[in-house]
Structure formats: C-alpha cells, structure tokens
C-alpha cells in the first residue's frame, strides 16, 4: 500500500548568511514575519518597506532522509511551488518549475541528502519570459502576464503589491510499489431519478508492475463495480438508483455521496482515491430571444436568478488561509443569501477546503481560469504551462458538485476591443487562442458535463461587442467610475457578472491597520490603503450627489460612504431582479478582501461585516419588496424566487415628514413561485413629483421599501429623535439587545458595533423606522456597554 510522509518539519530559509526556521506550507514573507525581520505589510505603509523581498532569490532547504521503505518507488511531491524554482538534491538537479498553479512530482527513489529549493524573483522570471515573447499591455504597471503566478500578488485596485515566493502548498514523500492511482475523472450525470458515475482512471506503474493485471474497485451509495486493468487506464461505471439531488442554497438540500476507488494487485491494496460528489444537472441557456442573447442557469430543470458575489484570494499571502478561515468566510457569504461565488481570474485555484465548503453550503462556483486584465503571450514557455495547469485543475476540481461553470478569463476580450490594445497587438498573440481554442478544448475533453464561457464579460461571439448588455455577460463599471448609482436602472443586461461600489473598512479594522493615525479621508494611511484610481474622489462624489459631504468629520464621512455603498448595490440588484427573467443574475464585486483597505467588499480584510453585507441579505432573499421608477410614477415590485406561492398583504402609506399619515392603502397580492409581480402605485398614495415633505412607504410581511421623490439632501428630513435602551441577554452579559424607539422618521439607522468593542458584531445593518416604531438590534461581544456608549455608535441620516 502506498505510504505517505508529510514534509512539514525541518525546513530552513537562507537569509543573510543564516538559516531561519521555515514553515511549509508557507512563503518567504510569513517566515520573515515569524522571525521578526520584516514589519507587517498590512500596517501603515509597511508594504513599501518590504518591496525588496519580492525582488531577490530565496532558498529553502531540508535534510531529506532515506525513507527506509521497501517500496519500489519514492516520489517527492509538491502541491504548489511559488513560482520559478530550481530543485537540487544532494548536489544533483531534480528539475525546474515555473508555475504556481501546478503540482510537481520528482522520482527520488533511493536518494537522500540535502534538498534545496531556490526560488528566483518573480520579477526576474517575468523579465526572462518577456525577452522571448515581447511586450504585451495590461492595466497595471506590473509584469504579471509573463509569469504563471497569482496576478494579485503584483497589486490591484484593492490589493497591495506583495510578491511572494515559497513552498505555498503541502510537500510530501509518496512511497509505492507496482502501481499508483495517477488521475481519476468522475463524470457525474443524472437521468430522471437515476444517477451515473463514470470514473475515468489512469494509473502509473513501476517497471516491475508493467505486466501486472490490476483491479480497480469502486463504490458509491452502496453500489460497487470492479474492472481489470491491463494497460494504464480503465473506465468504471456505477449506476445509482433514486439519487437525491444537490441544489444551490435556497432551492433545496445538498446531499453528498462518498466515492471510493481502490487499486488492487490481486487482493493486495496498492492505492486508494476518495472524494465526495453530488448529483445535479446544470444547463446554461444562451438562446437568442427578442432581447438579445440570454445567459440563464438552469439547475435540475429550474431556471434560477443567480444571487452571486465575486471572490478574490482571502489573503495576499494565500498560504495563511486555513480550512477554518475558508469555512468562516463562506458561511458569512451564505448568510448574505448568496447562492453563487465566482472565483476571479487574477487569484488562485483555491484549496480543496474552499470547494468542500461550497459543496456543503450550497454555494455554486463559477471558476475562472487564471487570466485577468492583460494581454497574455501564447508562445512557449507559457503555452505549455497554461495547458498543463488547466488540465490539472480541471481534473482536481471536477468532483465538486458546487462547480457549475468554467470561464476563460476576466475582462481580456473586452480589453482587446476597448482598452487601446488592438492596434499595438496587431500580429501578436494576446490570449485569444487560450480563451477560444485551448481552454474550451481542455474542458470538452476532460469535463464534458460542465459548460464553458470564453470570458467575463463576453457576448458569445465577436458578432457583438464583448461587453454588450444585451448579449451574454456584462460588467457595469461606468456607473462607479463616472455616474450616480441610480444609472444602474438605465440598462437591463442579460447577466451582470461584475458591478460594485466602494466603502472603507470598519472603524476597528482601520484603527488596527493604521495605529496612532488621526483618521481622515485623506490621512496618509487612509490614502495608502485606498488603491483605486481616484478612489476617494469617486467616494466623495458618490456621497455628494445625495448628501452634504461632511467636512472635518471622519465619523460622519465613514457612515455616509457605507450608506451609499449599500444603497448603490441594492439599487442595481433591485432593478435587475425586477426585470427577471430578462436579467438572469448579478454577481457583486466583491464579497471579501485580502488585507485592510477601502474597497468594494461586503466583508472587510479583518472579517468584519460592512452594512453592504446586511443589505445583500435583504436584496438577495427569496422574497424582495421594492419600489421602482416607472413612466407614471413609482411602481410596486414583488420578486418571489422561492418555490412556493407568495400570498401577502402590502400596505402602502403616504407619509408627511412631520410623522402624520396622508393616505393609506392595502393590497392583497399573490406572486407565483419564481416570478415577479409589477404594479403601478395608485395615485392616491403617490408623493408629489419633486415634493420634499412627503414619502411613500411599502410594507409586506417583514419587508419594507421607501420612495422619496427627491434626493436626500433636498428632502426635508426632520431632526431624528429616538430613545435607546440596552437589555442584557443571557447570563454571560456578553450579548445585549439595543432597543431603539423612534419618535420621528429615522432613516438608515446604523449601529457600528465595533465602536463598542473591536470584536463586537450586530445582527442588523441599515434600518428605517417610522414615528412610533421600535426595533431590536442584537449585539454580541459588547459586555458592559451602556446607553450612552451605544448612542455614540449609532448613526442615521440627518437634515441637510
């Protein structure tokens, strides 16, 4: 039976003539941090102080002992080397690597001695490749398109430039005889109530095992089959009756089935392969219709509006992301009523722990191949690396039922057409051969049960502009960059795979990341932790369109930027959901951060929830109540994404700003499953167009929508008046209920719990109360907080 020895202990990192203790998995930065030799790059402007780390070579070493094993073969296996490395064992070269996104295997049978792994600077590797391929454009002044490495290590408009090197995934020795399981591809399909699992198995043999007749034995859900292997491959088919279907969260349950494959020599076990699978069907309807070309996911026969988020690496030092951290972040994601996570193309193929959690939580995964915002050369040595990387990761990830789509790249097809690339690239390769040739062929060959799309955005062919809102997928960035967020309503794209709005991190996160700084929007640390081009200018203009921009009041500015972020994203989602099935999904940029920064995230770099997270939970819920602009005034829209009829009573109230009721109307409405109901608001409850002293409130069940006829800074808001009481919950005094009783209109009330204690959290985001209403906000981690302290952490919209 194959024997595995994990290589986690005894590694050393050479630095300034010394050998530091090193951690594997890890990277140079984590080892230097542990030794106290570099400052934390996440604090202040320390990022600049450690730039030198990514610009020199580094050597890891390990005394590789004799295994003492009687196995015929011993392999040295690395699941990830970052990135360009030379491996030497006992003075003899083992091999060279140049791809962070691949694993490597070296035959070290009968060998021992000092193992050294020397990593060249990624900048030097990129320069050597660029010398061969020639120049290619990208959107950032860093050479990430010339090296198969996480592009975000070179900085982005939300991330620092921290160029890593090291043994970033596990290393081990595998000792085996006769044969081992080299690769298994499970093709999982469903026909009615019956499931089928086809296991395409490849084996590797030793010289002594060349002519051995081996047996493969496979089991799933109590069904077992076996097959003899005369050569190096075999296919086993398991038909499973009455399977339970895997569904995205919100649509059903997520049953998973264990699959086990054993490789036998007679009765003697040689190797075992185990995974979990799920039975489901996923189709992608890209048919043409009267609106253009659709892009609709159909899961187990049900057409779904995708409620998605974009995912970036959760740490710029990805070896620090543990399975527990993946689980926490993805549980936070699922709690926002998200049902799809897009793994963005400038990051990594995530660890199996990520996809395992998505399988269990019902989060569909849209997986980008790793190309983003650049023209990529297609010549060697990159082309062979790209194909090897794609083949390995398609096979590694295809067991996961959560994986629903392969995507060729992020924004490169769009960039070729619109970012002044086309003329300079005339006659040069730039990646099109990957996205429209190599990658779809690899997916079709290895994983034919899943769909592939060439890019995001992509209209489906060059017959249309790559970012045409009427065809395929669409990225909406003109709004954030230049317009008011109300302009999201100007278009009904078929599928919005990127859009978003910025806000700073939580206050406790900023204080940790910028110790001792007198916080201001333009203070040195705040500006360093704002990577977007004119990011603060766009934040300020976004606020100023709706509110009076605070001068010299950081707390107020911080609150209003959070409000605008939440409102902006909600405006887009509410509009696009109201136009289902023409629009079939939204994927918000972005759910998470890789460090403490002002960004588009809903969860900041320290894992704290922004108000946007709570707003996503509202607008991504199965049932959504919203008021949308119409040709003759506001329209009432009810979106029901659930599987059952929504029967509800909607109350419409026309309110004066002094708290008196002008008119009231009740409507009994039925919304069929997975449909949208849209009705004009009756004239008797419509506020006057342009009026500043009336507003419309719609309530149904526990849902609320508001319509003001003018922008907030033009509206005659009353001075907010409310009382606060703090009630202890439980016996540990760690949890309290903050009870707020309103005596006036209180718009977008927000309790920033981290102002009470750094680790405190609230269960609610933005809340609007009418006069006489009361709400409870549950806060965890706020032991001893009194009413005065709580009041200082409460914010709401105030008169201009």
């Amino acid at each position: 039976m194959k024997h595995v020895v994990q290589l986690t202990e005894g590694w050393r990192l050479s630095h300034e003539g010394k050998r530091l203790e090193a951690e594997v998995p890890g990277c140079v930065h984590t080892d230097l941090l542990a030794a106290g030799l570099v400052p934390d790059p996440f604090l202040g402007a320390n990022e600049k102080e450690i730039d030198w780390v990514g610009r020199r070579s580094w050597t890891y070493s390990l005394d590789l002992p004799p295994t003492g094993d009687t196995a015929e073969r011993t392999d040295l296996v690395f699941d990830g080397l970052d990135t360009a490395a030379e491996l030497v064992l006992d003075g003899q070269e083992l091999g060279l690597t140049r791809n962070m996104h691949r694993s490597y295997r070296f035959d070290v049978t009968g060998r021992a001695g000092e193992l050294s792994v020397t990593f060249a600077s990624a900048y030097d590797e990129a320069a050597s490749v660029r010398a061969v391929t020639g120049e290619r454009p990208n959107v950032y002044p860093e050479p990430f398109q010339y090296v198969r490495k996480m592009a975000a290590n070179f900085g982005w408009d939300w991330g620092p430039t921290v160029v890593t090197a090291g043994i970033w995934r596990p290393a081990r020795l595998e000792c085996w005889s006769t044969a081992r399981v080299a690769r298994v591809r499970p093709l999982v399909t469903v026909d009615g109530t019956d499931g089928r699992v086809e296991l395409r198995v490849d084996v590797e043999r030793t010289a002594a095992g060349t002519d051995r007749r081996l047996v493969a034995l496979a089991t799933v859900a109590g069904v077992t089959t076996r097959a003899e292997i005369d050569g190096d491959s075999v296919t086993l088919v398991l038909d499973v009756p009455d399977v339970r279907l895997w569904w995205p969260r919100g649509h059903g349950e997520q049953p998973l089935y264990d699959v086990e494959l054993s490789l036998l020599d007679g009765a003697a076990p040689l190797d075992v392969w185990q995974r979990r699978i799920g039975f489901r069907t996923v189709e992608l309807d890209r048919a043409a219709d009267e609106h253009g070309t659709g892009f609709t996911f159909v899961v187990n026969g049900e057409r779904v509006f995708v409620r998605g988020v974009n995912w970036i690496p959760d740490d710029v030092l990805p070896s620090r992301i543990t399975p527990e951290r993946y689980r926490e972040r993805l549980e936070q994601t699922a709690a926002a009523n998200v049902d799809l996570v897009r793994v963005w193309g400038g990051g990594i193929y995530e660890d199996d722990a990520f996809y395992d959690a998505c399988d269990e939580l019902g989060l569909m995964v849209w997986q980008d191949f790793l190309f983003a915002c650049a023209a990529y050369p297609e010549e060697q040595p990159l082309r062979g690396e790209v194909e090897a990387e794609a083949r390995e990761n398609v096979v590694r990830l295809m067991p996961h039922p959560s994986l629903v789509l392969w995507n060729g790249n992020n924004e490169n097809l769009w960039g070729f057409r619109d970012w002044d690339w086309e003329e300079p690239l005339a006659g040069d390769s730039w990646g099109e051969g990957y996205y429209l040739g190599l990658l779809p062929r690899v997916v079709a060959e290895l994983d034919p049960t899943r769909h592939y799309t060439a890019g995001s955005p992509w209209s489906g062919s060059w017959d249309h502009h790559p970012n045409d809102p009427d065809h395929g997928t669409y990225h909406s960035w003109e709004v954030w960059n230049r317009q008011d967020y109300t302009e999201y309503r100007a278009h009904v794209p078929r599928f919005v795979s990127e859009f978003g709005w910025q806000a700073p991190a939580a206050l406790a996160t900023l204080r940790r990341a910028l110790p001792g700084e007198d916080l201001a929007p333009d203070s040195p640390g705040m500006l360093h932790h704002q990577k977007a081009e004119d990011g603060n200018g766009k934040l300020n203009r976004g606020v100023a369109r709706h509110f009076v921009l605070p001068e010299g009041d950081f707390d107020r500015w911080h609150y209003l930027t959070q409000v605008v972020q939440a409102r902006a994203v909600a405006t887009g989602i509410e509009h696009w959901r109201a136009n289902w099935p023409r629009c079939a999904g939204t994927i918000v940029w972005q759910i998470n951060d890789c460090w403490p920064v002002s960004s588009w995230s809903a969860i900041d770099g320290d894992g704290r929830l922004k108000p946007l997270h709570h707003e996503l939970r509202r607008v991504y819920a199965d049932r959504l109540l919203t008021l949308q602009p119409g040709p003759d005034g506001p329209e009432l829209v009810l979106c029901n994404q659930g599987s059952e009829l929504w029967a509800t009573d909607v109350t419409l109230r026309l309110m004066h700003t002094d708290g008196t009721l002008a008119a009231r109307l009740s409507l009994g409405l039925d919304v069929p499953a997975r449909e949208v109901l849209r009705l004009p608001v009756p004239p008797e409850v419509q506020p006057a167009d342009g009026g500043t002293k009336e507003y419309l409130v719609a309530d149904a069940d526990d849902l609320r929508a508001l319509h003001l006829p003018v922008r907030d800074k033009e509206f005659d808001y009353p001075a907010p008046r409310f009382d606060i009481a703090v009630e202890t919950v439980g016996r540990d005094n760690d949890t309290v209920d903050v009870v707020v009783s309103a005596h006036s209109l209180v718009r977008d009330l927000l309790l920033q719990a981290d102002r009470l204690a750094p680790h405190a959290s609230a269960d609610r985001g933005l809340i609007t109360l009418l006069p006489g209403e009361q709400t409870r906000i549950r806060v965890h981690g706020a032991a001893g907080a009194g009413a005065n302290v709580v009041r200082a952490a409460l914010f709401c919209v105030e008169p201009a």
Side-chain angles (χ1 to χ4, degrees):
M1 186 68 175
K2 182 173 71 176
H3 175 60
V4 177
V5 179
Q6 299 294 337
L7 300 178
T8 57
E9 305 293 333
W11 288 94
R12 303 172 296 273
L13 174 66
S14 298
H15 175 59
E16 303 294 340
K18 299 180 181 179
R19 290 192 169 188
L20 309 176
E21 183 176 330
E23 185 175 356
V24 171
C27 72
V28 172
H29 289 82
T30 55
D31 292 329
L32 294 177
L33 280 165
L37 296 175
V38 294
D40 186 339
F42 288 6
L43 303 184
N46 289 344
E47 170 197 353
K48 298 177 181 179
E49 301 300 317
I50 64 165
D51 177 73
W52 60 272
V53 177
R55 296 183 181 275
R56 52 159 291 183
S57 63
W58 296 92
T59 297
Y60 285 84
S61 58
L62 173 72
D63 294 325
L64 195 68
T67 61
D69 203 290
T70 58
E72 298 171 40
R73 172 85 170 262
T74 300
D75 290 340
L76 173 63
V77 182
F78 292 95
D79 286 339
L81 294 171
D82 174 18
T83 290
E86 178 186 30
L87 292 90
V88 174
L89 177 58
D90 196 26
Q92 295 185 344
E93 182 182 289
L94 276 179
L96 303 173
T97 74
R98 61 194 328 155
N99 194 326
M100 179 182 183
H101 308 303
R102 293 178 57 189
S103 63
Y104 294 93
R105 179 178 293 268
F106 304 96
D107 184 351
V108 294
T109 305
R111 301 177 63 179
E114 184 178 67
L115 170 67
S116 66
V117 186
T118 299
F119 293 93
S121 162
Y123 287 102
D124 292 342
E125 167 69 5
S128 67
V129 172
R130 180 167 47 194
V132 174
T133 65
E135 294 284 342
R136 299 293 191 281
N138 72 13
V139 297
Y140 297 107
E142 295 280 341
F144 59 83
Q145 71 267 47
Y146 305 105
V147 57
R148 296 309 299 159
K149 174 177 173 56
M150 178 173 123
N153 275 145
F154 292 91
W156 223 261
D157 55 4
W158 36 257
T161 301
V162 181
V163 180
T164 55
I167 305 170
W168 76 290
R169 279 182 165 160
R172 62 188 175 277
L173 292 172
E174 293 187 0
C175 308
W176 53 283
S177 298
T178 307
R180 70 176 185 91
V181 177
R183 185 175 76 167
V184 180
R185 292 190 295 119
L187 303 179
V188 182
T189 55
V190 180
D191 183 4
T193 61
D194 297 332
R196 169 168 286 193
V197 183
E198 295 184 26
L199 296 178
R200 310 285 179 87
V201 183
D202 295 330
V203 300
E204 182 182 9
R205 297 172 181 262
T206 64
T210 300
D211 298 323
R212 303 286 294 179
R213 177 165 291 186
L214 307 177
V215 172
L217 180 67
T219 303
V220 60
V223 177
T224 300
T225 191
R226 59 187 291 136
E228 292 187 349
I229 310 175
D230 291 325
D232 295 328
S233 62
V234 70
T235 298
L236 296 93
V237 178
L238 299 100
D239 290 313
V240 185
D242 300 321
V243 295
R244 298 171 59 216
L245 296 179
W246 184 96
W247 287 92
R249 62 152 308 283
H251 295 274
E253 297 180 345
Q254 294 80 43
L256 300 171
Y257 292 80
D258 293 318
V259 180
E260 181 172 303
L261 172 79
S262 297
L263 181 63
L264 308 173
D265 180 10
L270 299 176
D271 202 355
V272 174
W273 178 93
Q274 295 172 311
R275 296 291 188 277
R276 290 186 307 174
I277 62 164
F279 293 96
R280 85 289 182 276
T281 64
V282 179
E283 298 298 327
L284 187 58
D285 185 353
R286 291 186 267 200
D289 58 24
E290 68 271 24
H291 303 297
T293 309
F295 197 89
T296 303
F297 285 88
V298 184
V299 183
N300 297 328
E302 294 286 351
R303 303 172 71 84
V304 301
F305 181 97
V306 165
R307 296 168 279 187
V309 291
N310 283 274
W311 172 277
I312 64 172
D314 204 54
D315 197 321
V316 74
L317 307 177
S319 61
R320 298 198 297 196
I321 311 172
T322 63
E324 294 75 20
R325 181 165 164 181
Y326 274 125
R327 183 78 190 198
E328 177 187 8
R329 199 68 72 243
L330 290 167
E331 285 181 344
Q332 291 173 316
T333 300
N337 287 321
V338 168
D339 61 19
L340 181 143
V341 177
R342 176 189 170 211
V343 180
W344 168 76
I348 58 176
Y349 304 101
E350 300 288 346
D351 187 81
D352 285 325
F354 172 92
Y355 304 94
D356 287 341
C358 289
D359 291 342
E360 296 164 7
L361 294 169
L363 294 170
M364 295 182 287
V365 175
W366 161 325
Q367 177 67 53
D368 281 15
F369 287 101
L370 301 185
F371 304 89
C373 300
Y376 284 80
E378 297 175 40
E379 292 81 10
Q380 298 292 10
L382 291 178
R383 186 176 184 86
E385 289 293 339
V386 166
E387 180 166 358
E389 163 194 321
R391 287 182 173 277
E392 176 175 335
N393 284 285
V394 166
V395 172
R396 178 171 74 90
L397 300 184
M398 62 187 288
H400 294 280
S402 56
L403 179 61
V404 297
L405 183 70
W406 292 102
N407 176 51
N409 74 89
N410 176 75
E411 297 190 343
N412 295 343
L413 296 160
W414 179 22
F416 178 75
R417 181 56 50 86
D418 274 4
W419 299 348
D420 298 322
W421 292 1
E422 198 163 356
E423 184 175 339
L425 284 170
D428 289 334
S429 66
W430 55 273
E432 183 183 26
Y434 295 146
Y435 319 135
L436 298 179
L438 172 63
L439 295 175
R441 286 199 300 271
V442 168
V443 172
E445 174 194 340
L446 298 177
D447 190 14
T449 66
R450 286 185 177 86
H451 286 267
Y452 170 88
T453 185
S456 182
W458 180 234
S459 60
S461 77
W462 287 115
D463 294 339
H464 307 286
H465 187 280
N467 200 33
D468 187 329
D470 293 329
H471 299 275
T473 53
Y474 178 71
H475 287 195
S476 178
W477 285 117
E478 190 69 13
V479 174
W480 155 253
N481 284 318
R482 297 174 181 85
Q483 301 172 344
D484 182 46
Y485 62 74
T486 56
E487 291 301 310
Y488 284 132
R489 301 185 182 121
H491 301 285
V492 183
R494 306 313 303 269
F495 192 106
V496 186
S497 48
E498 273 191 28
F499 81 106
W501 203 274
Q502 265 204 1
L507 185 68
T509 300
L510 295 177
R511 285 175 172 161
R512 185 192 69 81
L514 306 174
E517 180 161 315
D518 186 9
L519 294 176
D522 58 353
S523 58
M526 286 293 295
L527 290 178
H528 184 75
H529 288 245
Q530 166 60 276
K531 296 295 187 177
E533 181 181 1
D534 190 30
N536 272 16
K538 293 170 186 176
L539 282 175
N540 290 340
R541 288 190 291 275
V543 170
R545 292 184 186 109
H546 294 267
F547 302 96
V548 175
L549 187 67
E551 296 290 342
D553 187 343
F554 178 79
D555 289 342
R556 192 79 194 155
W557 177 87
H558 184 270
Y559 161 74
L560 289 176
T561 55
Q562 302 281 348
V563 169
V564 171
Q565 181 190 37
R567 284 199 195 176
V569 172
T571 296
I573 293 174
E574 289 182 356
H575 167 65
W576 293 319
R577 279 194 70 177
N579 283 280
W580 160 262
R582 180 175 173 180
C583 179
T586 56
I587 308 181
V588 177
W589 188 271
Q590 65 213 61
I591 188 63
N592 62 325
D593 269 325
C594 64
W595 77 314
V597 64
S598 292
S599 85
W600 298 263
S601 73
I603 306 168
D604 77 14
D606 281 8
R608 294 185 174 91
L609 306 184
K610 295 183 183 179
L612 173 59
H613 183 277
H614 298 280
E615 197 69 355
L616 286 177
R617 187 172 63 188
R618 180 183 71 84
V619 296
Y620 272 167
D622 283 353
R623 295 172 176 178
L624 172 67
L625 176 73
T626 178
L627 292 163
Q628 293 292 307
D632 300 311
E635 295 183 345
L636 177 68
V637 183
L638 290 84
C639 305
N640 180 17
Q641 201 163 345
S643 59
E644 299 179 354
L645 174 76
W646 181 16
T648 187
D649 291 322
V650 178
T651 301
L652 296 168
R653 283 179 285 178
L654 179 62
M655 300 291 298
H656 295 302
T657 54
D658 65 3
T660 59
L661 178 68
R664 178 189 179 109
L665 185 66
S666 293
L667 302 172
L669 300 174
D670 292 341
V671 190
R674 298 187 175 89
E675 290 193 13
V676 172
L677 179 64
R678 189 165 191 148
L679 301 170
V681 171
E684 58 266 35
V685 289
Q686 285 193 27
D689 188 32
T692 62
K693 294 181 179 296
E694 292 181 334
Y695 59 98
L696 172 63
V697 183
D699 291 298
D701 299 332
D702 294 325
L703 309 178
R704 169 166 286 174
L706 264 74
H707 167 74
L708 274 61
V710 295
R711 296 189 179 189
D712 292 76
K713 64 182 180 182
E714 301 161 357
F715 190 68
D716 189 19
Y717 276 106
R721 294 181 294 112
F722 54 87
D723 295 328
I724 299 171
V726 179
E727 300 177 0
T728 300
V729 178
R731 297 180 179 179
D732 59 3
N733 296 324
D734 190 57
T735 301
V736 299
D737 277 353
V738 176
V739 183
V740 181
S741 302
H743 303 294
S744 68
L745 171 65
V746 179
R747 182 81 189 277
D748 285 338
L749 179 73
L750 176 66
L751 174 58
Q752 295 189 358
D754 61 292
R755 291 175 178 266
L756 306 178
H759 298 293
S761 63
D763 69 344
R764 305 284 299 276
L766 301 171
I767 309 165
T768 293
L769 299 175
L770 303 186
E773 292 184 335
Q774 186 180 87
T775 191
R776 285 178 175 268
I777 306 170
R778 180 149 294 182
V779 182
H780 299 282
N788 290 336
V789 174
V790 169
R791 183 174 284 274
L794 278 167
F795 296 82
C796 66
V797 173
E798 297 179 353

